[in-house]
């Protein structure tokens, strides 16, 4: 029977789990999950007790996974959790 709901490919799930497989990235995701609005990179770094340089290091994996959305305005980066992608990942796990 064909699936009628959206799902991730095995490759997409692997990318997401790889991003979540690192404790600093999990702290970033946990922080953003608790917010309704965007957070600046400075806020994310301060709340997760990491430097801005380390935050930038982890940005690519989180954005590539689709779990975090980052936009830049001038020199400021704004971060937010992609709730739809996170919910889709969880639904795929539940089968």
């Amino acid at each position: 029977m064909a699936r009628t709901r959206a799902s991730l490919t095995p490759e997409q799930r692997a990318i997401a789990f790889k991003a979540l497989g690192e404790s600093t990235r999990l702290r970033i995701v946990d922080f953003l999950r608790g917010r309704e609005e965007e957070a600046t990179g400075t806020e994310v770094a301060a709340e997760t007790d990491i430097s801005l340089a380390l935050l930038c290091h982890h940005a690519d994996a989180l954005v590539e996974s689709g779990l975090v959305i980052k936009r830049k305005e001038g020199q400021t980066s704004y971060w937010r959790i992609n709730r739809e992608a996170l919910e889709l990942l969880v639904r795929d796990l539940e089968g």
Side-chain angles (χ1 to χ4, degrees):
M1 182 192 297
R3 288 185 175 183
T4 57
R5 63 179 172 88
S7 65
L8 299 172
T9 67
E11 292 79 14
Q12 290 170 317
R13 286 194 306 268
I15 290 168
F17 286 125
K18 182 177 178 184
L20 293 173
E22 206 283 328
S23 63
T24 300
R25 292 181 199 143
L26 274 176
R27 289 197 323 267
I28 294 166
V29 168
D30 284 345
F31 168 68
L32 293 173
R33 274 185 35 227
R35 295 180 59 100
E36 292 298 321
E37 67 280 346
E38 295 177 313
T40 66
T42 302
E43 291 171 321
V44 175
E47 288 294 324
T48 56
D49 198 30
I50 60 175
S51 68
L52 282 172
L54 188 56
L55 178 61
C56 290
H57 170 75
H58 290 293
D60 290 339
L62 291 169
V63 172
E64 180 187 2
S65 73
L67 297 173
V68 170
I69 297 168
K70 181 180 128 181
R71 71 176 179 89
K72 194 157 176 126
E73 191 173 295
Q75 291 191 353
T76 304
S77 293
Y78 294 90
W79 297 62
R80 67 182 169 91
I81 195 76
N82 183 345
R83 294 187 192 286
E84 292 174 7
L86 192 58
E87 289 168 6
L88 186 57
L89 182 62
V90 170
R91 277 199 314 263
D92 272 5
L93 285 176
E94 292 173 341

Coordinates of all heavy atoms in Angstrom, one line a residue:
M1 N 0.8 -1.2 0.0 CA 0.0 0.0 0.0 C 0.9 1.3 0.0 O 1.8 1.3 0.8 CB -0.9 0.0 1.2 CG -1.8 1.2 1.3 SD -2.7 1.5 2.8 CE -3.7 0.2 3.1
A2 N 0.6 2.2 -0.8 CA 1.4 3.4 -1.0 C 1.1 4.4 0.2 O 0.0 4.4 0.7 CB 1.1 4.1 -2.3
R3 N 2.1 5.1 0.6 CA 1.9 6.1 1.7 C 1.2 7.3 1.1 O 1.5 7.7 0.0 CB 3.3 6.5 2.2 CG 4.0 5.5 3.1 CD 5.2 6.1 3.6 NE 5.9 5.2 4.5 CZ 6.9 5.4 5.2 NH1 7.5 6.6 5.1 NH2 7.4 4.6 6.0
T4 N 0.3 7.8 1.9 CA -0.4 9.0 1.4 C 0.1 10.3 2.1 O -0.4 11.3 1.8 CB -1.9 8.8 1.7 OG1 -2.1 8.6 3.1 CG2 -2.5 7.7 0.9
R5 N 1.0 10.1 3.1 CA 1.5 11.3 3.8 C 2.9 11.5 3.4 O 3.6 10.6 2.9 CB 1.4 11.1 5.3 CG 2.2 9.9 5.8 CD 2.1 9.8 7.4 NE 2.7 8.6 7.8 CZ 4.0 8.5 8.1 NH1 4.8 9.5 8.0 NH2 4.5 7.3 8.6
A6 N 3.4 12.7 3.6 CA 4.8 13.0 3.3 C 5.7 12.3 4.2 O 5.4 12.0 5.3 CB 5.0 14.5 3.5
S7 N 6.8 11.9 3.6 CA 7.9 11.2 4.4 C 9.2 11.6 3.9 O 9.4 12.1 2.8 CB 7.7 9.7 4.4 OG 7.8 9.2 3.1
L8 N 10.2 11.3 4.7 CA 11.6 11.6 4.3 C 12.2 10.3 3.7 O 11.9 9.2 4.0 CB 12.4 12.0 5.5 CG 11.9 13.2 6.3 CD1 12.7 13.4 7.6 CD2 12.1 14.4 5.4
T9 N 13.2 10.6 2.8 CA 13.9 9.5 2.2 C 14.9 9.0 3.3 O 15.2 9.7 4.2 CB 14.7 9.9 1.0 OG1 15.7 10.8 1.3 CG2 13.8 10.5 -0.1
P10 N 15.4 7.8 3.1 CA 16.4 7.3 4.1 C 17.6 8.2 4.1 O 18.2 8.5 5.2 CB 16.8 5.9 3.5 CG 15.6 5.5 2.8 CD 15.0 6.7 2.2
E11 N 18.0 8.8 3.0 CA 19.1 9.7 2.9 C 18.8 11.0 3.7 O 19.7 11.5 4.4 CB 19.5 10.1 1.5 CG 20.0 8.9 0.7 CD 19.0 8.0 0.2 OE1 17.8 8.3 0.2 OE2 19.4 6.9 -0.2
Q12 N 17.6 11.5 3.6 CA 17.2 12.7 4.4 C 17.2 12.4 5.9 O 17.7 13.3 6.7 CB 15.9 13.2 3.9 CG 15.9 13.8 2.5 CD 14.4 14.1 2.0 OE1 13.5 13.2 2.2 NE2 14.3 15.2 1.4
R13 N 16.7 11.3 6.2 CA 16.8 10.9 7.7 C 18.2 10.8 8.2 O 18.5 11.2 9.3 CB 16.0 9.6 7.9 CG 14.5 9.8 7.8 CD 13.7 8.6 8.3 NE 14.1 7.3 7.8 CZ 13.5 6.8 6.7 NH1 12.5 7.4 6.1 NH2 13.9 5.6 6.3
A14 N 19.1 10.2 7.4 CA 20.5 10.1 7.8 C 21.1 11.4 8.0 O 21.9 11.6 9.0 CB 21.2 9.3 6.7
I15 N 20.9 12.4 7.1 CA 21.4 13.7 7.3 C 20.9 14.4 8.6 O 21.7 15.0 9.3 CB 21.1 14.6 6.0 CG1 21.9 14.1 4.8 CG2 21.4 16.1 6.3 CD1 21.4 14.7 3.5
A16 N 19.6 14.2 8.8 CA 19.0 14.8 10.1 C 19.6 14.1 11.3 O 20.0 14.8 12.3 CB 17.5 14.6 10.0
F17 N 19.7 12.8 11.3 CA 20.3 12.1 12.5 C 21.7 12.4 12.7 O 22.2 12.5 13.8 CB 20.0 10.6 12.4 CG 18.6 10.3 12.7 CD1 17.9 9.5 11.7 CD2 18.0 10.7 13.8 CE1 16.6 9.2 12.0 CE2 16.6 10.4 14.0 CZ 15.9 9.6 13.1
K18 N 22.5 12.6 11.6 CA 23.9 13.0 11.7 C 24.0 14.4 12.4 O 24.8 14.6 13.3 CB 24.5 13.0 10.3 CG 26.0 13.4 10.4 CD 26.6 13.3 9.0 CE 28.1 13.7 9.1 NZ 28.7 13.8 7.8
A19 N 23.1 15.3 12.0 CA 23.1 16.6 12.6 C 22.7 16.5 14.1 O 23.3 17.3 14.9 CB 22.1 17.5 11.9
L20 N 21.8 15.7 14.4 CA 21.4 15.5 15.8 C 22.3 14.7 16.6 O 22.2 14.6 17.9 CB 20.0 14.9 15.9 CG 18.9 15.8 15.3 CD1 17.5 15.1 15.3 CD2 18.7 17.1 16.1
G21 N 23.3 14.0 16.0 CA 24.2 13.1 16.7 C 25.3 13.8 17.4 O 26.3 13.1 17.8
E22 N 25.3 15.1 17.5 CA 26.4 15.8 18.1 C 25.8 16.7 19.3 O 24.8 17.4 19.0 CB 27.0 16.7 17.1 CG 28.5 17.1 17.3 CD 28.6 18.2 18.4 OE1 27.7 19.0 18.5 OE2 29.6 18.2 19.1
S23 N 26.3 16.6 20.4 CA 25.7 17.2 21.6 C 25.5 18.7 21.5 O 24.5 19.3 22.0 CB 26.4 16.9 22.9 OG 27.8 17.4 22.9
T24 N 26.5 19.4 20.9 CA 26.3 20.9 20.8 C 25.1 21.2 19.9 O 24.3 22.1 20.2 CB 27.6 21.5 20.2 OG1 28.7 21.2 21.1 CG2 27.5 23.0 20.0
R25 N 25.0 20.5 18.8 CA 23.8 20.7 17.9 C 22.5 20.4 18.6 O 21.5 21.1 18.4 CB 24.0 19.9 16.6 CG 25.2 20.4 15.8 CD 25.3 19.6 14.5 NE 26.6 19.7 14.0 CZ 27.3 18.8 13.4 NH1 26.8 17.6 13.2 NH2 28.6 19.1 13.0
L26 N 22.5 19.3 19.4 CA 21.3 19.0 20.2 C 20.9 20.2 21.1 O 19.7 20.5 21.3 CB 21.5 17.7 21.0 CG 21.2 16.5 20.2 CD1 21.5 15.3 21.1 CD2 19.8 16.4 19.8
R27 N 21.9 20.8 21.7 CA 21.7 21.9 22.6 C 21.1 23.1 21.8 O 20.1 23.8 22.3 CB 22.9 22.4 23.4 CG 23.4 21.4 24.4 CD 24.4 22.0 25.4 NE 25.3 22.9 24.9 CZ 26.6 22.6 24.5 NH1 27.0 21.3 24.6 NH2 27.4 23.5 24.1
I28 N 21.6 23.3 20.6 CA 21.1 24.4 19.8 C 19.6 24.1 19.4 O 18.8 25.0 19.5 CB 22.0 24.6 18.5 CG1 23.4 25.0 18.9 CG2 21.3 25.5 17.5 CD1 24.4 24.9 17.8
V29 N 19.3 22.9 19.0 CA 18.0 22.5 18.6 C 17.0 22.6 19.8 O 15.9 23.1 19.7 CB 18.0 21.1 18.0 CG1 16.5 20.6 17.8 CG2 18.6 21.1 16.6
D30 N 17.5 22.1 21.0 CA 16.7 22.2 22.2 C 16.3 23.6 22.5 O 15.2 24.0 22.8 CB 17.3 21.5 23.3 CG 17.3 20.0 23.3 OD1 16.5 19.5 22.5 OD2 18.1 19.4 24.0
F31 N 17.3 24.5 22.4 CA 17.1 25.9 22.7 C 16.1 26.5 21.7 O 15.1 27.2 22.1 CB 18.4 26.7 22.6 CG 18.2 28.2 22.7 CD1 17.7 28.9 23.8 CD2 18.5 29.0 21.5 CE1 17.5 30.2 23.8 CE2 18.3 30.3 21.5 CZ 17.8 31.0 22.6
L32 N 16.2 26.3 20.4 CA 15.3 26.8 19.4 C 13.9 26.2 19.5 O 13.0 26.9 19.3 CB 15.9 26.6 18.0 CG 17.2 27.4 17.7 CD1 17.8 27.0 16.4 CD2 17.0 28.9 17.8
R33 N 13.8 25.0 19.9 CA 12.5 24.3 20.1 C 11.7 25.1 21.2 O 10.5 25.1 21.1 CB 12.6 22.9 20.5 CG 12.8 21.9 19.4 CD 12.8 20.5 19.8 NE 12.0 20.2 20.9 CZ 12.3 19.5 22.0 NH1 13.5 19.0 22.1 NH2 11.4 19.3 22.9
G34 N 12.3 25.6 22.1 CA 11.6 26.3 23.2 C 11.2 27.7 22.9 O 10.7 28.4 23.8
R35 N 11.5 28.2 21.8 CA 11.2 29.6 21.4 C 10.1 29.6 20.3 O 10.1 28.7 19.4 CB 12.4 30.3 20.8 CG 13.5 30.4 21.9 CD 14.7 31.1 21.2 NE 14.4 32.4 20.7 CZ 14.6 33.6 21.3 NH1 15.2 33.6 22.5 NH2 14.3 34.7 20.8
E36 N 9.3 30.6 20.4 CA 8.3 30.8 19.4 C 8.8 31.7 18.3 O 8.4 31.6 17.1 CB 7.0 31.4 20.0 CG 6.3 30.5 20.9 CD 5.7 29.3 20.2 OE1 5.3 29.4 19.1 OE2 5.8 28.2 20.8
E37 N 9.7 32.6 18.6 CA 10.3 33.5 17.6 C 11.7 33.2 17.3 O 12.3 32.3 17.9 CB 10.1 35.0 18.1 CG 11.0 35.3 19.3 CD 10.5 34.8 20.7 OE1 9.3 34.5 20.8 OE2 11.3 34.8 21.6
E38 N 12.2 33.9 16.3 CA 13.6 33.7 15.9 C 14.6 34.1 17.0 O 14.2 34.9 17.9 CB 14.0 34.6 14.7 CG 13.2 34.2 13.4 CD 13.6 35.2 12.3 OE1 13.5 36.4 12.6 OE2 13.9 34.7 11.2
A39 N 15.8 33.6 17.0 CA 16.8 34.0 17.9 C 18.0 34.5 17.1 O 18.3 33.9 16.0 CB 17.2 32.9 18.8
T40 N 18.7 35.5 17.5 CA 19.9 35.9 16.8 C 21.0 34.9 17.1 O 20.9 34.1 18.1 CB 20.4 37.3 17.3 OG1 20.8 37.2 18.7 CG2 19.3 38.3 17.1
G41 N 22.0 34.8 16.3 CA 23.1 34.0 16.5 C 23.8 34.2 17.9 O 24.2 33.3 18.6
T42 N 23.8 35.5 18.3 CA 24.4 35.9 19.6 C 23.6 35.3 20.7 O 24.2 34.7 21.7 CB 24.5 37.4 19.7 OG1 25.2 37.9 18.6 CG2 25.1 37.8 21.0
E43 N 22.3 35.3 20.6 CA 21.4 34.7 21.6 C 21.6 33.2 21.7 O 21.7 32.6 22.8 CB 19.9 35.0 21.3 CG 19.6 36.4 21.5 CD 18.2 36.7 21.0 OE1 17.7 36.2 20.0 OE2 17.5 37.5 21.7
V44 N 21.7 32.5 20.5 CA 21.8 31.1 20.5 C 23.2 30.7 21.1 O 23.2 29.8 21.9 CB 21.8 30.5 19.0 CG1 22.1 29.0 19.0 CG2 20.4 30.8 18.4
A45 N 24.2 31.4 20.7 CA 25.5 31.1 21.3 C 25.6 31.3 22.8 O 26.1 30.5 23.5 CB 26.6 32.0 20.6
A46 N 25.0 32.4 23.3 CA 25.0 32.7 24.7 C 24.1 31.6 25.5 O 24.6 31.1 26.5 CB 24.4 34.1 25.0
E47 N 23.0 31.3 25.0 CA 22.1 30.3 25.7 C 22.6 28.9 25.7 O 22.3 28.1 26.5 CB 20.7 30.4 25.1 CG 19.9 31.6 25.4 CD 19.6 31.7 26.9 OE1 19.3 30.7 27.5 OE2 19.7 32.9 27.4
T48 N 23.5 28.6 24.7 CA 24.0 27.2 24.6 C 25.4 27.2 25.1 O 26.1 26.1 25.0 CB 23.9 26.7 23.1 OG1 24.5 27.6 22.2 CG2 22.4 26.5 22.7
D49 N 25.9 28.3 25.5 CA 27.3 28.4 26.1 C 28.4 28.0 25.1 O 29.3 27.2 25.5 CB 27.4 27.6 27.4 CG 28.6 28.0 28.3 OD1 29.0 29.2 28.2 OD2 29.1 27.1 29.0
I50 N 28.3 28.5 23.9 CA 29.3 28.3 22.9 C 29.7 29.6 22.3 O 29.0 30.6 22.4 CB 28.8 27.3 21.8 CG1 27.6 27.8 21.1 CG2 28.6 25.9 22.4 CD1 27.2 27.0 19.9
S51 N 30.8 29.6 21.6 CA 31.2 30.9 20.9 C 30.5 31.0 19.6 O 29.9 30.0 19.0 CB 32.7 30.8 20.6 OG 33.0 29.8 19.7
L52 N 30.5 32.2 19.1 CA 29.9 32.4 17.7 C 30.6 31.6 16.7 O 30.0 31.1 15.7 CB 29.9 33.9 17.4 CG 28.8 34.8 18.0 CD1 29.0 36.2 17.8 CD2 27.4 34.3 17.6
A53 N 31.9 31.5 16.8 CA 32.7 30.7 15.8 C 32.2 29.3 15.8 O 32.1 28.7 14.8 CB 34.2 30.8 16.1
L54 N 32.0 28.7 17.0 CA 31.5 27.3 17.1 C 30.1 27.2 16.6 O 29.8 26.2 15.9 CB 31.6 26.8 18.5 CG 31.4 25.3 18.7 CD1 32.3 24.5 17.9 CD2 31.5 25.0 20.2
L55 N 29.3 28.2 16.8 CA 27.9 28.2 16.3 C 28.0 28.2 14.8 O 27.3 27.4 14.1 CB 27.1 29.4 16.8 CG 25.7 29.5 16.3 CD1 24.9 28.3 16.7 CD2 25.1 30.8 16.8
C56 N 28.8 29.0 14.2 CA 28.9 29.0 12.7 C 29.4 27.7 12.2 O 29.0 27.2 11.1 CB 29.9 30.1 12.3 SG 29.2 31.8 12.6
H57 N 30.3 27.0 12.9 CA 30.8 25.7 12.5 C 29.7 24.7 12.4 O 29.6 23.8 11.5 CB 31.8 25.2 13.6 CG 32.2 23.8 13.4 ND1 33.1 23.4 12.4 CD2 31.9 22.7 14.1 CE1 33.3 22.1 12.5 NE2 32.6 21.6 13.5
H58 N 28.7 24.7 13.4 CA 27.6 23.8 13.4 C 26.4 24.2 12.5 O 25.5 23.4 12.2 CB 27.1 23.6 14.8 CG 28.1 22.9 15.7 ND1 28.4 21.5 15.5 CD2 28.8 23.3 16.7 CE1 29.3 21.2 16.4 NE2 29.6 22.2 17.1
A59 N 26.4 25.4 12.0 CA 25.3 25.9 11.2 C 25.0 25.1 10.0 O 23.9 24.8 9.7 CB 25.6 27.4 10.8
D60 N 26.1 24.8 9.2 CA 25.9 24.1 8.0 C 25.2 22.7 8.1 O 24.2 22.4 7.4 CB 27.2 23.8 7.3 CG 27.9 25.1 6.7 OD1 27.1 26.1 6.5 OD2 29.1 25.1 6.5
A61 N 25.5 22.0 9.1 CA 24.9 20.7 9.3 C 23.4 20.8 9.7 O 22.6 20.1 9.3 CB 25.6 19.9 10.4
L62 N 23.2 21.8 10.6 CA 21.8 22.0 11.0 C 20.9 22.5 9.9 O 19.8 22.1 9.8 CB 21.8 23.0 12.2 CG 22.3 22.4 13.5 CD1 22.5 23.5 14.5 CD2 21.5 21.3 14.0
V63 N 21.4 23.4 9.1 CA 20.6 24.0 8.0 C 20.5 22.9 6.9 O 19.4 22.7 6.4 CB 21.3 25.3 7.5 CG1 20.6 25.7 6.2 CG2 21.2 26.4 8.5
E64 N 21.6 22.2 6.6 CA 21.5 21.1 5.6 C 20.5 20.1 6.0 O 19.8 19.5 5.1 CB 22.9 20.5 5.4 CG 22.8 19.4 4.4 CD 24.1 18.6 4.3 OE1 25.1 18.8 5.1 OE2 24.2 17.7 3.4
S65 N 20.4 19.8 7.2 CA 19.4 18.8 7.7 C 18.0 19.2 7.5 O 17.0 18.4 7.5 CB 19.7 18.4 9.2 OG 19.2 19.5 10.0
G66 N 17.8 20.5 7.4 CA 16.4 21.1 7.3 C 15.8 21.3 8.6 O 14.6 21.8 8.7
L67 N 16.4 21.0 9.7 CA 15.8 21.1 11.0 C 15.9 22.5 11.6 O 15.1 22.9 12.4 CB 16.5 20.2 12.0 CG 16.3 18.7 11.7 CD1 17.2 17.9 12.7 CD2 14.9 18.3 11.8
V68 N 16.8 23.3 11.0 CA 17.0 24.7 11.5 C 17.0 25.6 10.2 O 17.6 25.3 9.2 CB 18.3 24.9 12.2 CG1 18.6 26.4 12.5 CG2 18.3 24.2 13.6
I69 N 16.3 26.7 10.3 CA 16.3 27.7 9.3 C 17.1 28.9 9.7 O 16.9 29.4 10.9 CB 14.8 28.1 8.9 CG1 14.1 26.9 8.4 CG2 14.8 29.3 7.9 CD1 12.6 27.1 8.3
K70 N 18.0 29.4 8.9 CA 18.8 30.5 9.3 C 18.7 31.6 8.1 O 18.8 31.2 7.0 CB 20.3 30.1 9.4 CG 21.3 31.1 9.8 CD 22.7 30.6 9.9 CE 23.6 31.4 9.1 NZ 25.0 30.9 9.1
R71 N 18.5 32.8 8.5 CA 18.5 33.9 7.6 C 19.4 35.0 8.1 O 19.7 35.1 9.3 CB 17.1 34.4 7.3 CG 16.5 35.2 8.5 CD 15.1 35.8 8.2 NE 14.6 36.5 9.3 CZ 14.9 37.8 9.6 NH1 15.6 38.5 8.7 NH2 14.4 38.4 10.6
K72 N 19.9 35.7 7.1 CA 20.9 36.8 7.5 C 20.3 38.1 7.1 O 19.7 38.2 6.0 CB 22.2 36.5 6.7 CG 23.3 37.3 7.3 CD 24.6 36.7 6.9 CE 25.7 37.6 7.4 NZ 26.7 37.0 8.2
E73 N 20.4 39.0 7.9 CA 20.0 40.4 7.7 C 21.1 41.3 8.1 O 21.4 41.5 9.3 CB 18.7 40.7 8.5 CG 18.0 42.0 8.1 CD 16.7 42.1 8.9 OE1 15.8 41.3 8.6 OE2 16.6 43.0 9.7
G74 N 21.8 41.9 7.1 CA 23.0 42.7 7.4 C 24.1 41.7 7.9 O 24.3 40.7 7.3
Q75 N 24.6 42.0 9.1 CA 25.6 41.2 9.7 C 25.0 40.2 10.7 O 25.7 39.5 11.4 CB 26.7 42.0 10.3 CG 27.5 42.7 9.3 CD 28.8 43.3 9.9 OE1 29.0 43.3 11.1 NE2 29.7 43.8 9.0
T76 N 23.7 40.3 10.9 CA 23.1 39.5 12.0 C 22.4 38.3 11.4 O 21.7 38.4 10.4 CB 22.0 40.3 12.7 OG1 22.6 41.5 13.3 CG2 21.4 39.5 13.9
S77 N 22.6 37.1 12.0 CA 22.0 35.9 11.5 C 20.8 35.6 12.5 O 21.0 35.8 13.7 CB 22.9 34.7 11.6 OG 23.9 34.9 10.6
Y78 N 19.7 35.2 11.9 CA 18.5 34.8 12.7 C 18.2 33.3 12.5 O 18.2 32.8 11.4 CB 17.3 35.7 12.3 CG 17.5 37.1 12.6 CD1 18.1 38.0 11.7 CD2 17.1 37.7 13.8 CE1 18.3 39.3 11.9 CE2 17.3 39.0 14.1 CZ 17.9 39.8 13.2 OH 18.0 41.2 13.4
W79 N 18.0 32.7 13.6 CA 17.8 31.2 13.7 C 16.4 30.9 14.2 O 15.9 31.5 15.1 CB 18.8 30.6 14.6 CG 20.2 30.8 14.3 CD1 20.9 31.9 14.1 CD2 21.1 29.7 14.0 NE1 22.2 31.7 13.8 CE2 22.4 30.3 13.7 CE3 21.0 28.4 13.9 CZ2 23.5 29.6 13.4 CZ3 22.1 27.6 13.6 CH2 23.4 28.3 13.3
R80 N 15.8 29.8 13.6 CA 14.6 29.3 14.1 C 14.5 27.8 13.8 O 15.1 27.3 12.8 CB 13.3 30.0 13.6 CG 13.0 29.9 12.2 CD 11.8 30.7 11.8 NE 11.7 30.8 10.4 CZ 10.9 29.9 9.6 NH1 10.3 28.9 10.2 NH2 10.9 30.0 8.3
I81 N 13.8 27.1 14.6 CA 13.6 25.7 14.4 C 12.6 25.5 13.3 O 11.6 26.3 13.1 CB 13.1 24.9 15.7 CG1 13.3 23.4 15.6 CG2 11.7 25.3 16.0 CD1 14.6 23.0 15.7
N82 N 12.8 24.5 12.4 CA 11.8 24.1 11.4 C 10.9 23.0 12.0 O 11.2 21.9 11.9 CB 12.5 23.6 10.1 CG 11.6 23.3 9.0 OD1 10.4 23.2 9.2 ND2 12.1 23.2 7.8
R83 N 9.8 23.5 12.6 CA 9.0 22.5 13.3 C 8.4 21.5 12.4 O 8.2 20.3 12.8 CB 7.9 23.3 14.1 CG 8.4 24.2 15.2 CD 7.3 24.8 16.0 NE 7.9 25.8 16.9 CZ 8.7 25.6 18.0 NH1 8.9 24.4 18.3 NH2 9.1 26.6 18.7
E84 N 8.0 21.9 11.2 CA 7.5 20.9 10.2 C 8.5 19.8 9.9 O 8.1 18.6 9.9 CB 7.1 21.6 8.9 CG 5.9 22.5 9.1 CD 5.6 23.3 7.8 OE1 6.2 23.0 6.8 OE2 4.7 24.2 7.9
A85 N 9.7 20.1 9.7 CA 10.7 19.1 9.4 C 11.0 18.2 10.6 O 11.1 17.0 10.5 CB 12.1 19.8 9.0
L86 N 11.0 18.8 11.8 CA 11.2 18.0 13.0 C 10.0 17.0 13.3 O 10.2 15.9 13.6 CB 11.3 18.9 14.2 CG 11.8 18.3 15.5 CD1 13.1 17.6 15.4 CD2 11.9 19.4 16.6
E87 N 8.8 17.5 13.1 CA 7.6 16.7 13.2 C 7.6 15.6 12.1 O 7.2 14.4 12.4 CB 6.3 17.5 13.1 CG 6.1 18.4 14.3 CD 5.1 19.5 14.1 OE1 4.4 19.5 13.1 OE2 4.9 20.3 15.0
L88 N 8.0 15.9 10.9 CA 8.1 14.9 9.9 C 9.1 13.8 10.2 O 8.8 12.6 10.1 CB 8.4 15.5 8.6 CG 8.4 14.6 7.3 CD1 7.1 14.0 7.1 CD2 8.8 15.5 6.1
L89 N 10.2 14.2 10.8 CA 11.2 13.2 11.2 C 10.7 12.3 12.3 O 10.8 11.0 12.2 CB 12.5 13.9 11.7 CG 13.6 13.0 12.1 CD1 14.2 12.2 11.0 CD2 14.7 13.9 12.7
V90 N 10.0 12.8 13.3 CA 9.4 12.0 14.3 C 8.3 11.1 13.8 O 8.2 9.9 14.1 CB 8.8 13.0 15.4 CG1 8.0 12.2 16.5 CG2 10.0 13.7 16.1
R91 N 7.4 11.6 12.9 CA 6.4 10.8 12.3 C 7.0 9.6 11.5 O 6.5 8.5 11.6 CB 5.5 11.6 11.4 CG 4.4 12.4 12.2 CD 3.3 12.8 11.2 NE 3.7 13.4 10.0 CZ 3.8 14.7 9.8 NH1 3.5 15.6 10.7 NH2 4.2 15.2 8.6
D92 N 8.1 9.9 10.8 CA 8.7 8.8 10.1 C 9.2 7.7 11.0 O 9.2 6.5 10.7 CB 9.9 9.3 9.2 CG 9.4 9.8 7.8 OD1 8.2 9.8 7.6 OD2 10.3 10.2 7.0
L93 N 9.7 8.1 12.1 CA 10.2 7.1 13.1 C 9.1 6.3 13.7 O 9.3 5.1 14.0 CB 10.9 7.8 14.3 CG 12.3 8.4 13.9 CD1 12.9 9.1 15.1 CD2 13.2 7.2 13.5
E94 N 7.9 6.9 13.9 CA 6.8 6.2 14.5 C 6.2 5.2 13.5 O 5.4 4.3 13.8 CB 5.8 7.2 14.9 CG 6.2 8.0 16.1 CD 5.3 9.2 16.5 OE1 4.4 9.6 15.7 OE2 5.4 9.6 17.6
G95 N 6.5 5.4 12.2 CA 6.0 4.5 11.2 C 4.6 4.9 10.8 O 3.7 4.3 10.4

